Amino acid sequence: MSGLSSYVIPLVIMLIPLVGLVRGVNVYEVFVEGAKHGIKTVVNILPYLIAMLLAVNMFKASGAMDIIVNTLGRFTSVIGFPAQVLPLAILRPLSGGASLGVAVGLMREYGPDSYIGVLTSMIYGSSETTLYVLSVYFGAVGIKRMRYALVAGLVSDVIGILASCLIVRLMFGM
């Protein structure tokens, strides 16, 4: 079975242009037109992406992350949410890259089978880069007012993080 799976992607890549040619589509022209639209999308998204990345880096470099982690860590450890995982919970709605870096660091330091490692995995899988998604995708289509999207996204992130904490505590018998 594994031999067949290594041929699926190349087969699909060859099949798409062949179907287009059979249907009489000028595959190259359609591809170039799609690439033009892709470049326009990148140009539209880039300012929002740069603003978000700059804000995340300023937040981390300013020391605000350390202040928040040190303050909240005293309270979250009582409910079984270690302070070491707080940077992941804070950065996850902001940036996928930054939160992945934190998650990898936690996995290396504590191991993937530890309480912190499993909690890190659960949080990473049950939350979203809400602010990043809203700024990039809403910016790409020109939506200025997010209305309830931001609140709904952040509430779902908090619920995902709390549910992760509860589930991992139950798994570890705490």
Side-chain angles (χ1 to χ4, degrees), residues 6 16-17 22 25-27 36 38 59 70 77 85 95 99 112 134 141-143 146 150 156 162 168:
S6 62
I16 291 171
V22 168
V25 175
N26 188 341
V27 175
K36 285 180 186 177
F59 178 69
N70 292 334
S77 60
V85 184
S95 167
S99 61
L134 291 177
V141 295
I143 297 173
M146 294 181 194
L150 178 61
S156 70
L162 292 175
V168 173

Side-chain angles (χ1 to χ4, degrees), residues 93-94 128 130-131 134 148-160:
L94 299 173
E128 180 58 79
T130 303
L131 296 175
L134 291 177
Y148 303 109
L150 178 61
V151 173
L154 291 176
V155 167
S156 70
D157 285 335
V158 169
I159 290 170

Side-chain angles (χ1 to χ4, degrees), residues 88 92 95-101 103 118-129 164:
L88 174 65
R92 184 67 177 142
S95 167
S99 61
L100 180 60
V118 174
L119 182 58
T120 296
S121 298
M122 289 285 289
I123 289 172
Y124 200 83
S126 65
S127 57
E128 180 58 79
T129 55
S164 297

Side-chain angles (χ1 to χ4, degrees), residues 56-126:
V56 168
N57 286 329
M58 285 174 55
F59 178 69
K60 287 170 41 180
S62 71
M65 173 70 79
D66 296 331
I67 293 169
I68 292 171
V69 167
N70 292 334
T71 304
L72 291 179
R74 296 182 198 130
F75 303 108
T76 60
S77 60
V78 173
I79 63 167
F81 193 89
Q84 298 91 323
V85 184
L86 273 172
L88 174 65
I90 294 167
L91 288 174
R92 184 67 177 142
L94 299 173
S95 167
S99 61
L100 180 60
V102 170
V104 168
L106 290 170
M107 293 290 186
R108 282 193 183 130
E109 186 171 347
Y110 298 99
D113 294 331
S114 67
Y115 178 78
I116 289 177
V118 174
L119 182 58
T120 296
S121 298
M122 289 285 289
I123 289 172
Y124 200 83
S126 65

Side-chain angles (χ1 to χ4, degrees), residues 8 45 59 104 135:
V8 171
I45 290 175
F59 178 69
V104 168
S135 67

